[in-house]
Amino acid sequence: INYIWISFLNPQPCRPHSPQPSSRPLPLVHWPEKTSSQSPSLIFGTKNSANSTVQQKAATDQLDYTAVTWNALGLADVERKGWDYLTTDQQIGATQVGFTKESWDCFIDHYSSAYWAELVANNKASQYMRLGWSQQSWEGEGAHPTTEGKWWDQLSEDEKKAANSLCFFKKNWNSEDMNPNDSYFPFNFPEFRYQPWNELSLSMQNTAIGMMNYTEDLWNDLGTHVAEKNTFLNLDSKIREGAMELGFYTHNWDCFINHYQAYYWSSFHSDLLVAVETLGWSEASWTNDMQSPPLSESKYWADLSPEEKAAATRLCYFEETWDTNEYPTLEDFDISTAVTPDGPLPQDINLNIYETTGYAGRSPGMVAAGQYIYNTNASYRTVVSSTVLGVVALAGAFLFA
C-alpha cells in the first residue's frame, strides 16, 4: 500500500494546520452522535450493500483513502481541503461516497480552509472566536488557542457549543482510532518495528533509510533515532510519509514509539492521566527535570504492581521495552515470544484501574479485573441522516473489509 502524506501546512493561505506538541492528543469517529441540518446523508450501508463496492472504489481511487487513513481521522491529504479546493475528480468521488459541499466543509474540513473574511461572511468566525481564535492566530501570526490542546471533556460548555456549530463532537474532536485492534494494547501492535534490521524486507529497509534516516544501528537500538523522541504529527513531512509506508500512523507511533514522552502534561486526560499518575508521575516531576522521577522508573517489570503494569501497558510498554536502563536492542529478545498481543491479557496486568475512564476509547465496563474484553463494535462511524434525523452506527471496517 502506498500511503500518502503532505505537510500540515495547506498550500492555500489559511489557518495553519501544523499542530504543536501541546496540540490535542489523538488517542481515541468521523461522524456525530447528534442530529443536524448539515449532517451528511447515510454514507455506508451494510457490508453486503450493493453500493459499498462503488463507495469503496470512490474513496480509494478518487479520494486516495487507504484502510488506515479512512479509520484514522485527519491522516488523508484530502481531509485537509475544503470542497472548493478539491479537484473535480475528488468532488465526484466525495459525492459518490455521500457528501455534499455543505457536509464536507463542515464535518470534514470544519471550514479550516477558509480565509478569515470568509468565516466572517458565513457567520463562522464568531464560533471560532468562542474557541479562542482571532484573525491573527488564524492567519498564522499568533499562537494557537488553548482549546487546541484540550480534549472534549476539558472544553467548557460554551466551547462545546461553539465546536458543535463547526460540526465537531466528542468523537471527532478527540479523533478516535477506528483501526481494528484485537489486542490488549490500546492500539494495534506494530510488530514490524520489533524485528531486527536483517529481518526486514528490502523495500522496508529502503523506506527506513531513504525517507526516515534510519541506519541499521538506529533501527536495532530502540529509542535512539531522534524522530522517535517526537510525536507523529510533529515529524518532518518526509519522515512521517515514510512512517506511514512502514505501517505507522498517529496512534501507534505516539504510543509504541514515543510512549507519549513528548506530550505536555496538560495533554494527559482520562485513561492516559490515570496511567501516568499510577506510575507516580505528577505535573511537577513530568515538567521539571530537577524533580526526582517516580519509583516506578527504577523498577523492573516483574517488580511493578498489577496496577503499574496496567499503566505501563496503556503507554504501550511491555516487559522487554520496560526492562532496560539503556535503549533496548532488538537482538536481545525475540518479539515472537516476548509478547502475544493477540492473546489473552496476562493475569498480572490489572486494567481495572480504567473502569471509570474506559481504556483507549473503549467504553467503561469493557474492562474487568484480570481480563480485557475486546468490543468488536467499539470502532464505528456514526452517520446522521439529515432526512431521517437519526443516528446510524456502522462498523468502520465495512468500507475496507
Side-chain angles (χ1 to χ4, degrees), residues 148-209:
E148 287 294 285
K150 294 180 179 180
W151 299 71
W152 182 263
D153 289 340
Q154 294 175 304
L155 298 176
S156 69
E157 289 305 311
D158 184 65
E159 289 168 342
K160 289 178 182 178
K161 290 178 181 178
N164 278 157
S165 298
L166 300 168
C167 294
F168 284 110
F169 54 100
K170 183 173 182 177
K171 292 178 184 291
N172 70 350
W173 181 274
N174 287 345
S175 298
E176 286 198 8
D177 181 14
M178 300 185 295
N179 283 288
N181 175 26
D182 292 317
S183 77
Y184 59 80
F185 286 107
F187 305 108
N188 62 47
F189 186 74
E191 187 168 352
F192 64 89
R193 182 59 189 92
Y194 304 101
Q195 295 176 337
W197 181 264
N198 59 11
E199 294 182 12
L200 297 178
S201 67
L202 181 60
S203 63
M204 294 184 75
Q205 290 181 357
N206 288 339
T207 297
I209 293 173

Side-chain angles (χ1 to χ4, degrees), residues 82-245:
W83 183 269
D84 291 338
Y85 293 118
L86 299 179
T87 65
T88 299
D89 196 45
Q90 288 172 331
Q91 290 180 356
I92 292 172
T95 300
Q96 290 177 333
V97 170
F99 285 101
T100 63
K101 170 179 167 59
E102 183 184 39
S103 61
W104 180 276
D105 282 344
C106 194
F107 286 97
I108 298 301
D109 184 56
H110 306 286
Y111 309 103
S112 64
S113 295
Y115 292 96
W116 186 260
E118 293 175 316
L119 293 179
V120 172
N122 292 320
N123 298 316
K124 301 301 177 184
S126 60
Q127 308 304 326
Y128 270 111
M129 289 174 68
R130 290 163 66 188
L131 290 170
W133 289 94
S134 64
Q135 181 174 357
Q136 182 182 32
S137 58
W138 188 265
E139 295 175 348
E141 298 177 356
H144 288 188
T146 58
T147 53
E148 287 294 285
K150 294 180 179 180
W151 299 71
W152 182 263
D153 289 340
Q154 294 175 304
L155 298 176
S156 69
E157 289 305 311
D158 184 65
E159 289 168 342
K160 289 178 182 178
K161 290 178 181 178
N164 278 157
S165 298
L166 300 168
C167 294
F168 284 110
F169 54 100
K170 183 173 182 177
K171 292 178 184 291
N172 70 350
W173 181 274
N174 287 345
S175 298
E176 286 198 8
D177 181 14
M178 300 185 295
N179 283 288
N181 175 26
D182 292 317
S183 77
Y184 59 80
F185 286 107
F187 305 108
N188 62 47
F189 186 74
E191 187 168 352
F192 64 89
R193 182 59 189 92
Y194 304 101
Q195 295 176 337
W197 181 264
N198 59 11
E199 294 182 12
L200 297 178
S201 67
L202 181 60
S203 63
M204 294 184 75
Q205 290 181 357
N206 288 339
T207 297
I209 293 173
M211 301 183 72
M212 300 191 69
N213 302 323
Y214 274 105
T215 64
E216 181 174 356
D217 287 341
L218 286 175
W219 181 270
N220 284 337
D221 294 335
L222 293 172
T224 55
H225 193 323
V226 64
E228 297 186 359
K229 305 180 189 303
N230 209 345
T231 64
F232 186 83
L233 293 181
N234 282 288
L235 295 175
D236 173 82
S237 59
K238 184 177 180 180
I239 293 177
R240 198 165 53 234
E241 182 180 351
M244 292 190 68
E245 286 201 17

Side-chain angles (χ1 to χ4, degrees), residues 332-373:
D332 291 343
F333 62 91
D334 180 1
I335 195 62
S336 64
T337 59
V339 294
T340 54
D342 57 346
L345 178 73
Q347 292 299 303
D348 60 347
I349 298 178
N350 181 17
L351 291 183
N352 199 45
I353 63 172
Y354 306 112
E355 186 175 17
T356 300
T357 62
Y359 178 69
R362 281 82 171 195
S363 300
M366 296 311 300
V367 180
Q371 64 179 346
Y372 171 65
I373 304 172

Side-chain angles (χ1 to χ4, degrees), residues 249-270:
Y249 61 103
T250 313
H251 306 282
N252 64 2
W253 176 278
D254 285 1
C255 196
F256 285 97
I257 302 304
N258 184 253
H259 305 289
Y260 305 103
Q261 292 179 29
Y263 274 41
Y264 290 145
W265 183 264
S266 59
S267 292
F268 292 132
H269 179 63
S270 190

Side-chain angles (χ1 to χ4, degrees), residues 64-91:
D64 293 327
Y65 277 108
T66 67
V68 169
T69 59
W70 178 265
N71 287 328
L73 178 67
L75 288 187
D77 170 22
V78 73
E79 293 193 2
R80 292 185 295 281
K81 296 180 180 179
W83 183 269
D84 291 338
Y85 293 118
L86 299 179
T87 65
T88 299
D89 196 45
Q90 288 172 331
Q91 290 180 356

